[in-house]
Amino acid sequence: MATVCSSRADQGDGRQVSSTAPVVELRKVSKTLGEHRVLDRMDLEVHPGEFVSLLGPSGCGKTTSLRLIAGFDHPTSGDVYIHGHLVNGSPPYRRDVNMVFQSYALFPHLTVRANVSFGLEMQRLLRPEIESRVDEALGMVRMEGLSERYPHQLSGGQQQRAALARALVTRPAVLLLDEPLGALDLRLRQEMQGELKKLQRRLGLAFLYVTHDQEEALTMSDRVAVMQGGRILQCGTPAEVYEKPRTRFVAEFVGEANILSGRVIGLGEGSASVGTAGGVVRVSDAGGTAQTGREVTMVLRPEKVVLSEASASGHDNRLSGLVEEVTYLGNGTRYRVRVGDRLALTVRRQNAPHERAVGLGEKVFACFPADTVHLLTEE
Amino acid sequence: MNGTQEELTGASRFRPGWLLLPASVWWMVFFVMPLGILAAISFLRPGSPVEWSLTAGNYGRLLDPLLLKVFLRSLVMAAAATAVCLAIGYPMAYFMARQPPRLQKLLYFLTLIPLWANSLALTYAWMVLLRSDGVLERGLRWAGAIGPADDLRLLYTPASVVLGLVYWYLPFMVYPLYASLEKFDWRLLDAAMDLGATRWTALHRVMLPLTMPGIIGGCLLVFIPALGNFVVPQLMGGAKQALIGNVIQERFLSQPQDWPLGSALAMTMMVLVTAAVWAYFRYAREEHALG
Ligand SMILES: Nc1ncnc2c1ncn2[C@@H]1O[C@H](COP(=O)(O)OP(=O)(O)O)[C@@H](O)[C@H]1O
Ligand SMILES: [Mg+2]
């Protein structure tokens, strides 16, 4: 089912997002390219000042949705609104949105300064105003010293900044960013993530940010829309999407996940017992969706599981198993614990000072509270 | 990128000289020798065909007002043909480059076909089409667009010469244009329109400057040979539309022969064209070096 993606007044992390009309809104937008249905009844709202991410694997339609908003393509059916106005047929140059392209698309025959001033020249502003606004935009992205360079004389990170300045300078209602950091190496990417976020907050500009990197989406966004096959599967705050994924795909795409499936064998106060391949698992079921005998699928995040040697009490769930794989990650360790013939759990542990290392082949108990197990409500 | 370029130039520095020998021989036999002969003849006295004594007077004889008029007409005709080729060739190349790759190959192949056919035969075909009471006039007459006695006088006009030149050289305009448009990053047009440029402004501010090498290349490939073409003006222009190529040809082949004058004319044309091209590239390099 297509999911409506609209923001609530309170964003969970305490950040207030104004409840004014959305700057961009997609209503049941579908796009067919050739035989291929690239977008399928997509709904999306971006509110003023909001940072919304479209997160999904390559080919799921992220770029296509940005192109429909920018006006390079037009929906096969459904409506696109900008500032509440229906813009379905209007060309890109009449839309108050700017795009930062995947791999930038800077004009190679123009200097950084000329690239940035391009949009202002199109608005036919006077030269002094153009100059001062270009300087301001270059300052924002810390590119003042490189304004006379040509794009091919810039590093990847600098090109990225130039592209950002070019898109920012005309002060659009919303900035569309298509994997803007995808071409950068890890260090630079993390640095730029911070800078982008700061800039977005400072300018109070709405960002619609496309990425296939779940960590990037979780750390930067007010809301994340997880996409697959041209649909938004789930849309919510990073915490909602991570802690309460609605489908298996969302659970597995947004971070590591143990998927436990089994049959409900007992019901308690807001909880249920599920028989799995690793033993009985108690799961909190606040929504009361479980019924005895029903097949269910559950998600357990690797960092919620504690490994203990003794059969210590005080945990809702305690599955005994054998450590069959240990992977050192630097800041943590990942274990693979076999708890049944057809079930092995991935467990993640921080490398804290007093943690005793658990060795390969050791017999352990995987312990986790009932409320860390999340019942999937959709398939 | 920079690293690779340095390695390449580094490698060429150590290439032994004898590897250049075959190319040098080829160059000498097919390029330098004929040119040398031509240059030598241009400094001989006219006779039948030449007299073996030196003079520089042939170059003075070029200042004949009649020759200057033909020269000027040649420039105008070649320029007009180049302009028309560009006006037709650019949209053609643009259209080709926007097709899916398979179709691009097919279209490219189709534009090659006129090159395989004999240019002379094709020019005759145009004459059959355009001449008085030719295919075109008969067709129009049959359709009632013109009266039975009307003669449109399409052939033997400056326009028919330009048409012939355009038909002859259009492929040479299309290739360099296509080559530069094929490399063009179409997202740049999106980027320009995203920033508020209309489609037309985007084409003219972004695509035009970025395909300028193709435009210049195509114009040179059309203008230079069109300037010296003598078949088209002879067949489609008649006596009144003679171009510089016709004059050169006549001085060599028709009575009274005057090889030295023909040679001086050919040499002068070549020097002028070379100087113009050289000046252009120098200008282009300086323009680029500013960046
Ligand atoms: N012109 C086209 N014709 C047919 N299919 C296309 C075209 N452009 C993109 N697609 C398909 O649309 C899907 C979505 O593409 P895109 O929006 O670029 O995905 P993403 O940006 O999420 O990687 C892909 O499966 C791609 O193959
Ligand atoms: Mg994409």
Side-chain angles (χ1 to χ4, degrees):
Chain A
M1 277 287 97
T3 309
V4 178
C5 187
S6 65
S7 69
R8 270 128 282 201
D10 185 74
Q11 287 304 306
D13 59 356
R15 199 171 123 66
Q16 288 294 127
V17 168
S18 68
S19 54
T20 47
V23 276
V24 171
E25 187 177 356
L26 302 184
R27 280 196 211 150
K28 300 239 174 311
V29 166
S30 297
K31 178 70 183 174
T32 308
L33 287 167
E35 301 282 282
H36 190 54
R37 186 149 204 166
V38 178
L39 290 181
D40 188 14
R41 280 164 293 157
M42 179 166 165
D43 286 301
L44 181 71
E45 283 178 12
V46 181
H47 289 261
E50 202 185 12
F51 194 124
V52 178
S53 288
L54 290 179
L55 172 66
S58 176
C60 72
K62 305 183 296 292
T63 298
T64 306
S65 27
L66 291 194
R67 290 180 60 82
L68 292 179
I69 297 169
F72 306 136
D73 271 320
H74 301 287
T76 310
S77 67
D79 294 324
V80 180
Y81 295 86
I82 295 174
H83 281 313
H85 298 294
L86 186 66
V87 294
N88 277 12
S90 80
Y93 48 87
R94 297 238 185 79
R95 299 190 185 197
D96 189 19
V97 299
N98 277 353
M99 184 131 153
V100 176
F101 289 80
Q102 209 165 1
S103 67
Y104 323 131
L106 290 167
F107 303 126
H109 61 303
L110 299 180
T111 60
V112 169
R113 171 168 289 278
N115 264 281
V116 176
S117 58
F118 191 92
L120 299 175
E121 283 165 23
M122 293 303 117
Q123 296 180 351
R124 299 180 194 285
L125 299 183
L126 294 177
R127 205 71 228 175
E129 174 162 20
I130 292 181
E131 294 304 326
S132 76
R133 277 174 62 178
V134 168
D135 286 333
E136 187 195 12
L138 289 174
M140 276 190 248
V141 298
R142 300 194 284 113
M143 284 283 289
E144 305 96 324
L146 302 171
S147 65
E148 297 312 319
R149 295 253 187 115
Y150 283 86
H152 71 270
Q153 298 168 316
L154 300 176
S155 72
Q158 291 163 345
Q159 289 183 18
Q160 210 285 319
R161 287 165 199 274
L164 192 62
R166 182 177 73 171
L168 281 174
V169 76
T170 57
R171 300 174 190 155
V174 58
L175 214 56
L176 311 172
L177 301 101
D178 193 358
E179 310 205 14
L181 309 180
L184 307 181
D185 60 51
L186 185 64
R187 270 294 296 278
L188 195 55
R189 195 157 73 221
Q190 287 172 340
E191 193 187 311
M192 283 302 294
Q193 282 172 9
E195 276 188 43
L196 265 179
K197 184 68 201 170
K198 254 190 277 175
L199 197 60
Q200 185 261 340
R201 285 233 169 115
R202 188 149 64 85
L203 298 175
L205 195 59
F207 272 31
L208 182 55
Y209 189 98
V210 158
T211 178
H212 62 253
D213 179 340
Q214 51 96 11
E215 197 178 313
E216 199 166 284
L218 292 182
T219 53
M220 296 175 81
S221 317
D222 298 321
R223 281 188 305 132
V224 180
V226 183
M227 288 185 72
Q228 185 203 14
R231 292 162 171 225
I232 292 182
L233 298 180
Q234 186 171 359
C235 183
T237 63
E240 278 169 1
V241 172
Y242 186 78
E243 304 286 350
K244 297 189 169 57
R246 216 172 292 154
T247 70
R248 180 172 179 159
F249 178 86
V250 174
E252 289 184 314
F253 197 78
V254 184
E256 266 184 300
N258 290 298
I259 303 294
L260 309 170
S261 53
R263 194 181 294 277
V264 178
I265 54 175
L267 292 174
E269 268 304 290
S271 76
S273 300
V274 181
T276 71
V280 175
V281 169
R282 286 217 309 139
V283 48
S284 60
D285 177 28
T289 52
Q291 292 166 325
T292 311
R294 199 174 144 192
E295 294 281 352
V296 291
T297 308
M298 300 165 293
V299 177
L300 175 62
R301 296 290 181 194
E303 71 279 7
K304 312 280 192 198
V305 184
V306 177
L307 294 182
S308 72
E309 311 133 57
S311 172
S313 56
H315 288 287
D316 299 328
N317 290 299
R318 211 168 57 232
L319 307 181
S320 76
L322 223 58
V323 177
E324 62 174 23
E325 209 180 291
V326 180
T327 312
Y328 179 70
L329 304 170
N331 62 354
T333 308
R334 185 195 291 122
Y335 301 94
R336 187 109 184 118
V337 180
R338 180 146 300 278
V339 294
D341 287 343
R342 292 180 295 108
L343 185 63
L345 292 182
T346 300
V347 178
R348 232 188 121 124
R349 206 169 79 173
Q350 294 296 317
N351 287 339
H354 301 296
E355 292 277 12
R356 191 190 71 84
V358 177
L360 200 62
E362 232 174 280
K363 197 171 177 315
V364 291
F365 290 92
C367 309
F368 46 94
D371 63 3
T372 59
V373 189
H374 173 70
L375 259 180
L376 293 180
T377 51
E378 285 173 32
E379 253 322 294
Chain B
M1 285 296 265
N2 284 334
T4 345
Q5 264 166 15
E6 270 159 30
E7 279 157 33
L8 284 176
T9 43
S12 68
R13 214 174 292 137
F14 296 112
R15 190 169 295 154
W18 55 264
L19 280 176
L20 290 171
L21 195 63
S24 316
V25 169
W26 188 91
W27 174 261
M28 283 299 290
V29 171
F30 291 103
F31 192 75
V32 176
M33 261 170 44
L35 258 182
I37 293 171
L38 198 68
I41 295 177
S42 77
F43 287 105
L44 296 177
R45 281 181 203 286
S48 53
V50 294
E51 204 169 280
W52 295 96
S53 61
L54 290 174
T55 175
N58 298 318
Y59 287 91
R61 288 200 285 147
L62 295 182
L63 293 173
D64 176 354
L66 220 62
L67 269 182
L68 288 179
K69 207 176 136 196
V70 175
F71 177 66
L72 210 64
R73 187 194 295 144
S74 303
L75 283 182
V76 171
M77 290 290 195
T82 307
V84 176
C85 277
L86 183 61
I88 301 173
Y90 203 98
M92 254 175 92
Y94 177 90
F95 176 79
M96 272 166 71
R98 289 235 100 164
Q99 302 311 309
R102 282 181 63 98
L103 193 55
Q104 276 188 36
K105 287 213 180 71
L106 180 72
L107 290 172
Y108 190 80
F109 181 78
L110 287 177
T111 57
L112 279 173
I113 289 177
L115 286 185
W116 300 341
N118 186 309
S119 305
L120 195 62
L122 290 172
T123 308
Y124 275 114
W126 273 110
M127 290 172 69
V128 171
L129 205 65
L130 294 180
R131 68 166 184 236
S132 295
D133 205 28
V135 176
L136 191 65
E137 278 190 14
R138 284 186 198 194
L140 288 172
R141 205 164 287 147
W142 178 81
I146 56 173
D150 287 342
D151 181 354
L152 296 179
R153 295 180 200 283
L154 295 171
L155 207 54
Y156 310 126
T157 59
S160 66
V161 175
V162 171
L163 175 76
L165 291 174
V166 166
Y167 187 74
W168 197 308
Y169 294 113
L170 186 59
F172 297 98
M173 178 63 87
V174 174
Y175 303 140
L177 286 176
Y178 172 70
S180 63
L181 279 165
E182 191 202 25
K183 277 182 293 187
F184 183 71
D185 179 358
W186 300 104
R187 289 178 322 148
L188 296 176
L189 291 183
D190 285 345
M193 289 201 283
D194 192 47
L195 293 166
T198 60
R199 175 159 283 276
W200 180 248
T201 309
L203 291 177
H204 141 256
R205 292 272 312 251
V206 176
M207 196 170 82
L208 205 64
L210 284 170
T211 52
M212 202 41 92
I215 295 174
I216 301 293
C219 287
L220 290 177
L221 284 183
V222 172
F223 183 79
I224 294 170
L227 200 56
N229 189 304
F230 55 88
V231 178
V232 171
Q234 191 169 357
L235 295 181
M236 297 180 76
K240 277 183 293 182
Q241 306 298 337
L243 299 189
I244 212 79
N246 303 94
V247 176
I248 295 175
Q249 183 210 16
E250 277 168 19
R251 293 290 69 75
F252 279 95
L253 300 179
S254 323
Q255 293 303 332
Q257 283 184 330
D258 193 343
W259 287 19
L261 186 70
S263 302
L265 204 48
M267 288 301 292
T268 307
M269 294 293 290
M270 204 183 61
V271 168
L272 286 179
V273 166
T274 310
V277 172
W278 179 79
Y280 166 72
F281 278 112
R282 225 187 108 107
Y283 162 79
R285 210 185 33 232
E286 266 166 23
E287 187 93 312
H288 196 74
L290 287 177

